[in-house]
Coordinates of all heavy atoms in Angstrom, one line a residue:
M1 N 44.4 -36.8 -31.8 CA 43.2 -36.2 -31.1 C 43.3 -34.7 -31.2 O 42.4 -34.0 -31.5 CB 43.2 -36.8 -29.7 CG 41.8 -36.7 -29.1 SD 40.5 -37.4 -30.1 CE 39.0 -36.7 -29.2
V2 N 44.5 -34.1 -30.7 CA 44.7 -32.7 -30.7 C 44.7 -32.3 -32.1 O 44.1 -31.1 -32.4 CB 46.1 -32.3 -30.0 CG1 46.3 -30.8 -30.1 CG2 45.9 -32.7 -28.5
G3 N 45.3 -33.0 -33.0 CA 45.3 -32.5 -34.4 C 44.0 -32.4 -34.9 O 43.7 -31.5 -35.7
L4 N 43.1 -33.4 -34.8 CA 41.7 -33.4 -35.2 C 41.0 -32.1 -34.7 O 40.4 -31.5 -35.5 CB 41.0 -34.6 -34.9 CG 39.6 -34.7 -35.3 CD1 39.4 -34.7 -36.9 CD2 38.8 -35.9 -34.7
L5 N 41.2 -31.8 -33.5 CA 40.4 -30.7 -32.8 C 41.0 -29.4 -33.6 O 40.1 -28.5 -33.9 CB 40.8 -30.7 -31.3 CG 40.1 -29.5 -30.5 CD1 38.5 -29.7 -30.6 CD2 40.5 -29.5 -29.1
L6 N 42.3 -29.3 -33.7 CA 42.7 -28.1 -34.5 C 42.2 -27.9 -35.8 O 41.8 -26.8 -36.3 CB 44.4 -28.1 -34.5 CG 45.1 -27.9 -33.1 CD1 46.6 -28.0 -33.3 CD2 44.8 -26.4 -32.7
T7 N 42.1 -29.0 -36.6 CA 41.5 -29.1 -38.0 C 40.2 -28.5 -37.8 O 39.7 -27.7 -38.6 CB 41.5 -30.4 -38.6 OG1 42.9 -30.9 -38.5 CG2 41.1 -30.5 -40.0
V8 N 39.4 -29.0 -37.0 CA 37.9 -28.6 -36.8 C 37.8 -27.1 -36.5 O 37.0 -26.4 -37.2 CB 37.2 -29.4 -35.7 CG1 35.8 -28.9 -35.5 CG2 37.2 -31.0 -36.1
L9 N 38.7 -26.7 -35.6 CA 38.7 -25.3 -35.2 C 39.1 -24.4 -36.3 O 38.4 -23.3 -36.5 CB 39.6 -25.0 -34.0 CG 39.0 -25.3 -32.5 CD1 40.1 -25.2 -31.5 CD2 37.8 -24.5 -32.4
S10 N 40.0 -24.7 -37.1 CA 40.5 -23.9 -38.1 C 39.4 -23.7 -39.2 O 39.3 -22.7 -39.8 CB 41.9 -24.4 -38.7 OG 41.8 -25.5 -39.5
V11 N 38.7 -24.9 -39.5 CA 37.6 -24.9 -40.5 C 36.4 -23.8 -39.9 O 36.1 -23.1 -40.7 CB 37.2 -26.2 -40.8 CG1 35.8 -26.2 -41.5 CG2 38.2 -27.1 -41.4
A12 N 36.2 -24.0 -38.7 CA 35.1 -23.3 -38.1 C 35.4 -21.8 -38.0 O 34.4 -21.0 -38.2 CB 34.8 -23.8 -36.8
T13 N 36.7 -21.4 -38.0 CA 37.0 -20.0 -37.9 C 37.3 -19.3 -39.2 O 37.6 -18.1 -39.2 CB 38.2 -19.7 -36.8 OG1 39.2 -20.6 -37.2 CG2 37.7 -20.1 -35.3
Q14 N 37.4 -20.0 -40.2 CA 37.7 -19.5 -41.5 C 36.5 -18.4 -41.9 O 35.4 -18.8 -41.7 CB 37.8 -20.4 -42.6 CG 39.3 -21.0 -42.7 CD 39.4 -22.0 -43.8 OE1 38.5 -22.2 -44.5 NE2 40.6 -22.5 -43.8
P15 N 36.8 -17.2 -42.5 CA 35.8 -16.3 -42.7 C 35.0 -16.9 -44.0 O 35.6 -17.5 -44.9 CB 36.6 -15.0 -43.1 CG 38.1 -15.5 -43.4 CD 38.2 -16.9 -42.5
A16 N 33.8 -16.5 -44.0 CA 33.0 -16.8 -45.2 C 33.6 -16.2 -46.5 O 33.9 -15.0 -46.4 CB 31.6 -16.4 -45.0
P17 N 33.5 -17.1 -47.5 CA 34.1 -16.5 -48.8 C 33.2 -15.4 -49.3 O 31.9 -15.5 -49.1 CB 34.4 -17.5 -49.7 CG 33.3 -18.6 -49.1 CD 33.3 -18.3 -47.7
A18 N 33.7 -14.3 -49.8 CA 32.8 -13.4 -50.5 C 32.0 -13.8 -51.7 O 32.5 -14.8 -52.4 CB 33.6 -12.1 -51.1
P19 N 30.7 -13.4 -51.8 CA 30.0 -14.0 -52.9 C 30.6 -13.8 -54.3 O 31.2 -12.7 -54.6 CB 28.7 -13.2 -52.8 CG 28.7 -12.6 -51.6 CD 30.0 -12.4 -51.0
A20 N 30.7 -14.8 -55.0 CA 31.6 -14.7 -56.3 C 30.8 -13.8 -57.3 O 31.5 -13.3 -58.2 CB 31.6 -16.2 -56.9
S21 N 29.4 -13.6 -57.1 CA 28.8 -12.8 -58.2 C 29.0 -11.3 -58.0 O 28.5 -10.5 -58.8 CB 27.2 -13.0 -58.0 OG 26.9 -12.7 -56.7
L22 N 29.7 -10.9 -57.0 CA 29.9 -9.5 -56.8 C 31.0 -9.0 -57.7 O 32.0 -9.5 -57.8 CB 30.4 -9.1 -55.4 CG 29.3 -9.0 -54.3 CD1 30.0 -8.7 -52.9 CD2 28.2 -8.2 -54.6
N23 N 30.7 -8.0 -58.5 CA 31.6 -7.4 -59.4 C 32.0 -6.0 -58.9 O 31.3 -5.2 -58.8 CB 30.8 -7.1 -60.7 CG 31.7 -6.3 -61.7 OD1 32.9 -6.1 -61.6 ND2 31.2 -6.1 -63.0
P24 N 33.3 -6.1 -58.6 CA 33.8 -4.9 -58.0 C 33.9 -3.6 -58.8 O 34.0 -2.4 -58.3 CB 35.3 -5.3 -57.5 CG 35.6 -6.4 -58.3 CD 34.4 -7.2 -58.6
H25 N 33.9 -3.8 -60.1 CA 33.8 -2.7 -61.0 C 32.6 -2.1 -61.3 O 32.6 -0.9 -61.8 CB 34.3 -3.3 -62.4 CG 35.8 -3.9 -62.3 ND1 36.9 -3.2 -62.0 CD2 36.2 -5.1 -62.6 CE1 38.0 -4.0 -62.0 NE2 37.6 -5.2 -62.4
A26 N 31.5 -2.8 -60.8 CA 30.2 -2.1 -60.9 C 30.1 -0.8 -60.2 O 29.5 0.2 -60.8 CB 29.2 -3.1 -60.3
V27 N 30.7 -0.7 -59.1 CA 30.7 0.6 -58.3 C 31.4 1.6 -58.9 O 31.0 2.8 -58.8 CB 31.3 0.2 -56.8 CG1 32.8 0.2 -56.8 CG2 30.8 1.3 -56.0
E28 N 32.5 1.3 -59.7 CA 33.2 2.4 -60.4 C 32.4 3.2 -61.4 O 32.5 4.4 -61.7 CB 34.3 1.7 -61.3 CG 35.4 1.2 -60.4 CD 36.4 0.3 -61.1 OE1 36.5 0.4 -62.3 OE2 37.2 -0.3 -60.5
L29 N 31.3 2.5 -61.9 CA 30.4 3.2 -62.9 C 29.8 4.4 -62.2 O 29.6 5.4 -62.9 CB 29.4 2.2 -63.3 CG 28.3 2.5 -64.3 CD1 29.0 2.6 -65.7 CD2 27.2 1.5 -64.4
F30 N 29.6 4.3 -61.0 CA 28.9 5.2 -60.2 C 29.8 6.3 -59.5 O 29.5 7.5 -59.3 CB 27.9 4.7 -59.1 CG 26.9 3.8 -59.9 CD1 27.1 2.3 -59.7 CD2 26.0 4.2 -60.7 CE1 26.3 1.5 -60.3 CE2 25.1 3.3 -61.3 CZ 25.2 1.9 -61.2
E31 N 31.1 5.8 -59.3 CA 32.0 6.7 -58.6 C 32.5 7.6 -59.7 O 32.9 8.9 -59.5 CB 33.2 6.0 -58.1 CG 32.8 5.3 -56.7 CD 33.9 4.2 -56.4 OE1 34.9 4.0 -57.1 OE2 33.9 3.8 -55.1
R32 N 32.5 7.2 -61.0 CA 33.0 7.9 -62.1 C 32.1 9.1 -62.6 O 32.6 10.1 -63.2 CB 33.4 7.0 -63.2 CG 34.8 7.1 -63.9 CD 35.0 6.0 -64.7 NE 33.9 5.2 -65.4 CZ 34.0 4.1 -66.0 NH1 35.0 3.5 -66.0 NH2 32.8 3.7 -66.6
D33 N 30.8 8.9 -62.5 CA 29.8 9.8 -63.1 C 28.8 10.2 -62.2 O 27.9 9.3 -61.7 CB 29.2 8.9 -64.3 CG 28.4 10.0 -65.3 OD1 27.9 10.9 -64.8 OD2 28.4 9.7 -66.4
W34 N 28.7 11.4 -61.8 CA 27.9 11.8 -60.8 C 26.4 11.8 -61.1 O 25.5 11.6 -60.4 CB 28.1 13.4 -60.3 CG 27.8 14.3 -61.5 CD1 28.6 14.8 -62.4 CD2 26.5 15.0 -61.7 NE1 28.1 15.6 -63.2 CE2 26.8 15.8 -62.8 CE3 25.3 15.0 -61.0 CZ2 25.9 16.7 -63.4 CZ3 24.5 15.8 -61.6 CH2 24.6 16.6 -62.7
V35 N 26.2 11.9 -62.5 CA 24.7 11.6 -63.0 C 24.2 10.2 -62.6 O 23.2 10.1 -62.1 CB 24.7 11.9 -64.5 CG1 23.3 11.6 -65.0 CG2 25.0 13.4 -64.8
L36 N 25.1 9.3 -63.0 CA 24.7 7.9 -62.6 C 24.7 7.7 -61.1 O 23.7 6.9 -60.6 CB 25.7 6.9 -63.2 CG 25.2 6.5 -64.6 CD1 25.2 7.5 -65.6 CD2 26.4 5.4 -65.3
D37 N 25.6 8.2 -60.4 CA 25.6 8.1 -59.0 C 24.4 8.6 -58.3 O 23.6 7.9 -57.6 CB 26.8 8.9 -58.5 CG 27.0 8.6 -57.0 OD1 27.0 7.4 -56.6 OD2 27.0 9.7 -56.2
Q38 N 23.9 9.8 -58.8 CA 22.7 10.4 -58.2 C 21.5 9.5 -58.6 O 20.6 9.4 -57.6 CB 22.5 11.9 -58.9 CG 21.8 12.8 -57.9 CD 21.8 14.2 -58.5 OE1 21.5 14.3 -59.7 NE2 22.3 15.2 -57.7
W39 N 21.4 9.1 -59.8 CA 20.2 8.3 -60.2 C 20.3 7.0 -59.4 O 19.2 6.5 -58.9 CB 20.5 7.9 -61.7 CG 19.7 6.8 -62.2 CD1 18.3 6.9 -62.6 CD2 20.0 5.5 -62.4 NE1 17.9 5.6 -63.0 CE2 18.8 4.8 -62.9 CE3 21.1 4.7 -62.1 CZ2 18.7 3.4 -63.2 CZ3 21.2 3.5 -62.4 CH2 20.1 2.8 -63.0
A40 N 21.4 6.3 -59.2 CA 21.5 5.0 -58.5 C 21.1 5.3 -57.1 O 20.4 4.5 -56.4 CB 22.9 4.6 -58.6
R41 N 21.5 6.3 -56.3 CA 21.2 6.6 -54.9 C 19.8 6.7 -54.7 O 19.4 6.4 -53.7 CB 22.0 7.8 -54.5 CG 23.5 7.6 -54.3 CD 24.1 8.6 -53.5 NE 23.6 9.9 -53.7 CZ 24.4 10.9 -54.0 NH1 25.8 10.8 -54.1 NH2 24.0 12.1 -54.2
R42 N 19.0 7.3 -55.7 CA 17.5 7.2 -55.5 C 16.9 6.0 -55.2 O 15.9 5.9 -54.4 CB 16.9 7.9 -56.7 CG 17.0 9.4 -56.8 CD 16.6 9.9 -58.2 NE 16.9 11.3 -58.3 CZ 16.1 12.3 -58.1 NH1 14.8 12.0 -57.7 NH2 16.3 13.5 -58.2
T43 N 17.3 4.9 -55.9 CA 16.7 3.7 -55.8 C 17.5 2.7 -55.1 O 16.9 1.8 -54.4 CB 16.4 3.1 -57.2 OG1 16.0 4.2 -58.0 CG2 15.5 1.9 -57.2
F44 N 18.7 2.6 -55.2 CA 19.6 1.5 -54.8 C 20.5 1.7 -53.5 O 21.2 0.8 -53.0 CB 20.6 1.1 -56.0 CG 19.8 0.6 -57.2 CD1 19.6 1.4 -58.2 CD2 19.2 -0.7 -57.2 CE1 18.8 1.0 -59.3 CE2 18.5 -1.1 -58.3 CZ 18.3 -0.2 -59.3
D45 N 20.4 2.9 -52.9 CA 21.1 3.2 -51.6 C 20.3 2.5 -50.6 O 19.6 3.3 -49.8 CB 21.3 4.6 -51.5 CG 22.0 4.9 -50.2 OD1 22.7 4.0 -49.7 OD2 22.0 6.1 -49.7
T46 N 20.3 1.2 -50.4 CA 19.3 0.6 -49.5 C 19.5 0.9 -48.2 O 18.6 0.8 -47.2 CB 19.3 -0.9 -49.8 OG1 20.7 -1.4 -50.0 CG2 18.5 -1.2 -51.1
N47 N 20.8 1.2 -47.6 CA 21.0 1.4 -46.3 C 21.1 3.0 -46.0 O 21.2 3.5 -44.8 CB 22.3 0.9 -45.8 CG 23.5 1.4 -46.5 OD1 23.5 2.2 -47.3 ND2 24.6 0.8 -46.0
G48 N 20.8 3.8 -47.0 CA 20.5 5.1 -46.8 C 21.8 5.9 -46.3 O 21.5 7.0 -45.7
D49 N 23.0 5.5 -46.6 CA 24.1 6.2 -46.1 C 24.7 7.3 -47.2 O 25.6 7.9 -47.0 CB 25.2 5.3 -45.7 CG 25.8 4.5 -46.9 OD1 25.2 4.6 -48.0 OD2 26.8 3.8 -46.6
G50 N 23.8 7.4 -48.4 CA 24.3 8.4 -49.3 C 25.4 7.8 -50.3 O 25.8 8.7 -51.1
R51 N 25.7 6.6 -50.1 CA 26.8 6.0 -51.0 C 26.4 4.8 -51.6 O 25.7 4.0 -51.0 CB 28.1 5.8 -50.2 CG 28.7 7.0 -49.6 CD 29.9 6.6 -48.8 NE 30.9 5.9 -49.5 CZ 32.0 6.5 -50.0 NH1 32.1 7.7 -50.0 NH2 32.8 5.8 -50.8
I52 N 27.0 4.5 -52.9 CA 26.6 3.2 -53.4 C 27.8 2.2 -53.1 O 28.9 2.5 -53.6 CB 26.4 3.4 -55.0 CG1 25.2 4.2 -55.3 CG2 26.4 2.1 -55.6 CD1 23.9 3.6 -54.8
S53 N 27.4 1.2 -52.4 CA 28.4 0.2 -51.9 C 28.7 -0.7 -53.1 O 27.8 -0.7 -54.1 CB 28.0 -0.5 -50.7 OG 27.0 -1.2 -50.9
I54 N 29.6 -1.5 -53.0 CA 29.8 -2.7 -54.0 C 28.5 -3.6 -54.2 O 28.1 -3.8 -55.2 CB 31.1 -3.5 -53.7 CG1 32.3 -2.7 -53.9 CG2 31.1 -4.7 -54.5 CD1 33.6 -3.4 -53.5
E55 N 28.0 -3.8 -53.0 CA 26.8 -4.6 -53.1 C 25.6 -3.9 -53.7 O 24.9 -4.6 -54.5 CB 26.3 -5.1 -51.6 CG 27.2 -6.2 -50.9 CD 28.5 -5.4 -50.3 OE1 28.7 -4.2 -50.3 OE2 29.3 -6.2 -49.9
E56 N 25.4 -2.7 -53.3 CA 24.4 -1.8 -53.9 C 24.6 -1.6 -55.3 O 23.6 -1.5 -56.2 CB 24.2 -0.6 -53.2 CG 23.6 -0.7 -51.7 CD 23.7 0.5 -50.8 OE1 24.7 1.4 -51.2 OE2 23.3 0.4 -49.7
A57 N 25.7 -1.6 -55.8 CA 26.3 -1.3 -57.2 C 25.8 -2.5 -58.1 O 25.5 -2.2 -59.4 CB 27.5 -0.9 -57.4
Q58 N 25.5 -3.6 -57.6 CA 25.3 -4.8 -58.4 C 23.9 -4.6 -59.1 O 23.8 -4.6 -60.3 CB 25.3 -6.1 -57.7 CG 26.6 -6.3 -56.8 CD 27.9 -6.3 -57.7 OE1 27.9 -6.9 -58.7 NE2 28.9 -5.7 -57.3
P59 N 22.8 -4.5 -58.4 CA 21.5 -4.2 -59.0 C 21.5 -2.9 -59.7 O 20.7 -2.8 -60.8 CB 20.5 -4.3 -57.8 CG 21.3 -4.1 -56.5 CD 22.7 -4.6 -56.8
A60 N 22.2 -1.9 -59.2 CA 22.2 -0.7 -60.0 C 22.8 -0.7 -61.3 O 22.2 -0.1 -62.2 CB 22.8 0.4 -59.0
A61 N 23.9 -1.4 -61.3 CA 24.6 -1.7 -62.7 C 23.7 -2.3 -63.6 O 23.6 -2.0 -64.9 CB 26.0 -2.2 -62.5
L62 N 23.0 -3.4 -63.1 CA 22.2 -4.1 -64.0 C 21.0 -3.3 -64.5 O 20.6 -3.4 -65.7 CB 21.5 -5.3 -63.2 CG 22.6 -6.5 -63.0 CD1 21.9 -7.7 -62.3 CD2 22.9 -7.1 -64.5
A63 N 20.5 -2.5 -63.6 CA 19.4 -1.7 -64.0 C 19.8 -0.6 -65.0 O 19.1 -0.3 -66.0 CB 18.8 -1.0 -62.8
F64 N 21.0 0.0 -64.8 CA 21.6 0.9 -65.8 C 21.7 0.3 -67.2 O 21.5 0.8 -68.2 CB 22.8 1.5 -65.3 CG 23.4 2.4 -66.3 CD1 22.8 3.8 -66.5 CD2 24.6 2.1 -67.1 CE1 23.4 4.6 -67.3 CE2 25.0 3.1 -68.0 CZ 24.4 4.2 -68.0
K65 N 22.2 -0.9 -67.1 CA 22.5 -1.8 -68.4 C 21.2 -1.9 -69.1 O 21.1 -1.6 -70.3 CB 23.2 -3.1 -68.1 CG 23.9 -3.6 -69.3 CD 24.7 -4.8 -68.9 CE 24.0 -6.0 -69.5 NZ 24.8 -7.2 -69.5
D66 N 20.2 -2.3 -68.4 CA 18.7 -2.4 -69.0 C 18.3 -1.1 -69.6 O 17.7 -1.1 -70.7 CB 17.8 -2.8 -67.9 CG 17.6 -4.4 -67.7 OD1 18.3 -5.1 -68.4 OD2 17.0 -4.8 -66.9
L67 N 18.7 0.0 -68.9 CA 18.0 1.3 -69.3 C 18.9 1.6 -70.5 O 18.3 2.3 -71.6 CB 18.4 2.3 -68.3 CG 17.9 3.7 -68.4 CD1 16.3 3.9 -68.0 CD2 18.7 4.7 -67.5
A68 N 20.2 1.4 -70.6 CA 21.1 1.9 -71.6 C 21.2 1.1 -72.8 O 21.4 1.7 -73.9 CB 22.5 2.1 -71.0
D69 N 21.0 -0.1 -72.6 CA 21.3 -1.1 -73.9 C 20.0 -0.9 -74.8 O 19.2 -1.8 -74.8 CB 21.3 -2.4 -73.3 CG 21.8 -3.4 -74.4 OD1 22.2 -3.0 -75.4 OD2 21.8 -4.6 -74.2
G70 N 20.1 0.1 -75.5 CA 18.8 0.4 -76.5 C 18.6 -0.8 -77.5 O 17.5 -1.0 -77.8
D71 N 19.6 -1.3 -78.0 CA 19.4 -2.5 -79.1 C 19.3 -3.8 -78.4 O 19.3 -4.7 -79.2 CB 20.3 -2.3 -80.2 CG 21.8 -2.5 -79.7 OD1 22.0 -2.8 -78.5 OD2 22.6 -2.3 -80.5
G72 N 19.5 -3.9 -77.1 CA 19.3 -5.2 -76.4 C 20.4 -6.3 -76.7 O 20.1 -7.3 -76.6
D73 N 21.6 -5.8 -77.2 CA 22.5 -6.8 -77.5 C 23.3 -7.2 -76.3 O 24.4 -7.9 -76.3 CB 23.5 -6.3 -78.6 CG 24.3 -5.2 -78.3 OD1 24.1 -4.5 -77.2 OD2 25.2 -4.8 -79.0
G74 N 22.9 -6.7 -75.1 CA 23.7 -7.1 -73.8 C 24.9 -6.2 -73.6 O 25.7 -6.5 -72.6
R75 N 25.3 -5.3 -74.5 CA 26.5 -4.4 -74.3 C 25.9 -3.0 -74.3 O 25.1 -2.6 -75.1 CB 27.5 -4.6 -75.3 CG 27.8 -6.1 -75.5 CD 28.8 -6.3 -76.7 NE 30.0 -5.8 -76.4 CZ 31.2 -6.4 -75.9 NH1 31.0 -7.7 -75.7 NH2 32.3 -5.9 -75.6
V76 N 26.7 -2.2 -73.6 CA 26.4 -0.7 -73.6 C 27.5 0.0 -74.3 O 28.6 0.0 -73.7 CB 26.2 -0.2 -72.2 CG1 25.9 1.4 -72.3 CG2 25.0 -0.8 -71.5
T77 N 27.4 0.5 -75.5 CA 28.4 1.2 -76.2 C 28.5 2.6 -75.6 O 27.6 3.2 -74.9 CB 28.0 1.2 -77.7 OG1 26.8 2.0 -77.8 CG2 27.8 0.0 -78.3
P78 N 29.6 3.4 -75.9 CA 29.7 4.7 -75.6 C 28.5 5.5 -76.0 O 28.1 6.5 -75.3 CB 31.1 5.1 -76.2 CG 31.8 3.9 -76.3 CD 30.8 2.8 -76.7
Y79 N 28.0 5.3 -77.1 CA 26.9 6.0 -77.7 C 25.7 5.7 -76.8 O 24.9 6.7 -76.4 CB 26.6 5.6 -79.0 CG 25.3 6.3 -79.7 CD1 25.4 7.6 -80.1 CD2 24.1 5.5 -79.8 CE1 24.1 8.2 -80.6 CE2 23.1 6.0 -80.3 CZ 23.0 7.3 -80.7 OH 21.9 7.9 -81.2
E80 N 25.4 4.5 -76.5 CA 24.1 4.2 -75.6 C 24.5 4.6 -74.2 O 23.4 5.2 -73.6 CB 24.2 2.6 -75.7 CG 23.6 2.1 -77.0 CD 23.6 0.5 -77.0 OE1 24.3 -0.1 -76.2 OE2 22.7 0.0 -77.6
Y81 N 25.6 4.7 -73.8 CA 26.0 5.3 -72.4 C 25.6 6.7 -72.3 O 24.9 7.2 -71.5 CB 27.4 5.0 -72.2 CG 27.9 5.6 -70.9 CD1 27.9 4.8 -69.7 CD2 28.3 6.9 -70.8 CE1 28.3 5.3 -68.5 CE2 28.6 7.4 -69.4 CZ 28.7 6.5 -68.3 OH 29.1 7.1 -67.1
E82 N 25.9 7.5 -73.5 CA 25.8 9.0 -73.5 C 24.2 9.2 -73.6 O 23.6 10.2 -73.1 CB 26.4 9.6 -74.7 CG 27.9 9.8 -74.4 CD 28.2 10.6 -73.1 OE1 27.3 11.6 -73.0 OE2 29.0 10.3 -72.3
R83 N 23.5 8.3 -74.5 CA 22.1 8.6 -74.6 C 21.3 8.2 -73.2 O 20.4 9.1 -72.9 CB 21.5 7.5 -75.6 CG 21.9 7.9 -77.1 CD 21.5 9.3 -77.6 NE 20.1 9.6 -77.2 CZ 19.1 9.3 -78.1 NH1 19.5 8.8 -79.3 NH2 18.0 9.6 -77.7
A84 N 21.8 7.2 -72.5 CA 21.2 6.9 -71.3 C 21.5 7.9 -70.2 O 20.5 8.4 -69.4 CB 21.7 5.6 -70.7
R85 N 22.7 8.6 -70.3 CA 23.1 9.7 -69.4 C 22.2 10.9 -69.5 O 21.6 11.5 -68.6 CB 24.5 10.0 -69.6 CG 25.1 10.8 -68.6 CD 26.6 10.9 -68.7 NE 27.3 11.7 -67.7 CZ 27.2 13.0 -67.6 NH1 26.7 13.8 -68.5 NH2 27.9 13.5 -66.6
E86 N 21.9 11.2 -70.9 CA 21.0 12.4 -71.3 C 19.6 12.1 -70.8 O 19.0 13.0 -70.2 CB 21.0 12.6 -72.8 CG 22.3 13.3 -73.3 CD 22.4 13.2 -74.7 OE1 21.4 13.0 -75.5 OE2 23.6 13.3 -75.2
F87 N 19.1 10.9 -71.0 CA 17.9 10.4 -70.5 C 17.6 10.5 -69.0 O 16.8 11.2 -68.5 CB 17.7 9.1 -70.9 CG 16.4 8.5 -70.4 CD1 15.1 8.8 -71.1 CD2 16.3 7.7 -69.3 CE1 13.9 8.2 -70.5 CE2 15.1 7.1 -68.8 CZ 13.9 7.4 -69.5
I88 N 18.7 10.3 -68.3 CA 18.6 10.3 -66.8 C 18.7 11.9 -66.4 O 17.9 12.4 -65.5 CB 19.8 9.6 -66.2 CG1 19.6 8.1 -66.3 CG2 19.9 9.9 -64.7 CD1 20.9 7.2 -65.9
L89 N 19.5 12.6 -67.0 CA 19.7 14.0 -66.7 C 18.4 14.8 -67.0 O 18.0 15.6 -66.3 CB 20.7 14.6 -67.7 CG 22.1 14.8 -67.0 CD1 23.1 15.3 -68.0 CD2 22.2 15.6 -65.7
A90 N 17.6 14.3 -68.1 CA 16.5 15.0 -68.4 C 15.3 14.7 -67.6 O 14.4 15.4 -67.3 CB 16.1 14.8 -69.9
R91 N 15.4 13.3 -67.1 CA 14.2 12.8 -66.4 C 14.2 12.9 -64.8 O 13.2 13.0 -64.2 CB 14.1 11.5 -66.8 CG 12.8 10.7 -66.2 CD 12.4 9.4 -66.8 NE 11.6 8.6 -65.9 CZ 11.1 7.4 -66.3 NH1 11.6 6.8 -67.3 NH2 10.4 6.8 -65.4
Y92 N 15.5 12.8 -64.4 CA 15.7 12.7 -63.0 C 16.2 14.0 -62.3 O 16.7 14.8 -63.0 CB 16.5 11.5 -62.5 CG 15.9 10.2 -62.9 CD1 16.2 9.6 -64.1 CD2 15.0 9.6 -62.0 CE1 15.8 8.4 -64.3 CE2 14.5 8.4 -62.3 CZ 15.0 7.8 -63.6 OH 14.3 6.6 -63.9
Ligands
CA1 CA1 24.5 2.7 -49.2
CA2 CA1 23.7 -2.2 -77.0

């Protein structure tokens, strides 16, 4: 009886697992490059704290990939990255 209660309690108090879809590396894209960071903060800093969090970096990284992947093969090459960076610098 006590054992069952303990089992129920330990299940109930376990922290919720982090969403599997979060990519912790997405945020590095913006920490590494101020041009991308500035661009991302305009649209994706949803809580307005001036920083791109891991959660906020997910849609931002997807949007950057859409913007940068000129030939649509699903990968951003260093060349495409530089072109996208120039585009952002010129436009934003
Ligand atoms: Ca934020
Ligand atoms: Ca590409």
Side-chain angles (χ1 to χ4, degrees):
M1 199 55 195
V2 172
L4 177 64
L5 186 62
L6 283 177
T7 306
V8 170
L9 278 177
S10 72
V11 168
T13 54
Q14 267 180 11
S21 60
L22 281 186
N23 176 3
H25 299 299
V27 74
E28 291 170 13
L29 188 66
F30 306 106
E31 284 173 348
R32 224 168 35 195
D33 193 324
W34 68 270
V35 174
L36 270 57
D37 185 56
Q38 211 171 48
W39 168 81
R41 284 197 317 234
R42 282 172 186 265
T43 312
F44 297 99
D45 181 20
T46 45
N47 65 358
D49 68 352
R51 298 176 56 93
I52 295 296
S53 67
I54 291 181
E55 288 80 8
E56 290 164 350
Q58 308 302 311
L62 283 178
F64 179 74
K65 200 171 108 173
D66 270 359
L67 182 87
D69 185 15
D71 59 6
D73 67 350
R75 310 176 70 96
V76 176
T77 62
Y79 174 74
E80 287 172 336
Y81 180 94
E82 280 305 317
R83 293 301 311 270
R85 197 175 181 276
E86 282 168 21
F87 174 79
I88 289 170
L89 264 178
R91 178 164 167 193
Y92 293 95

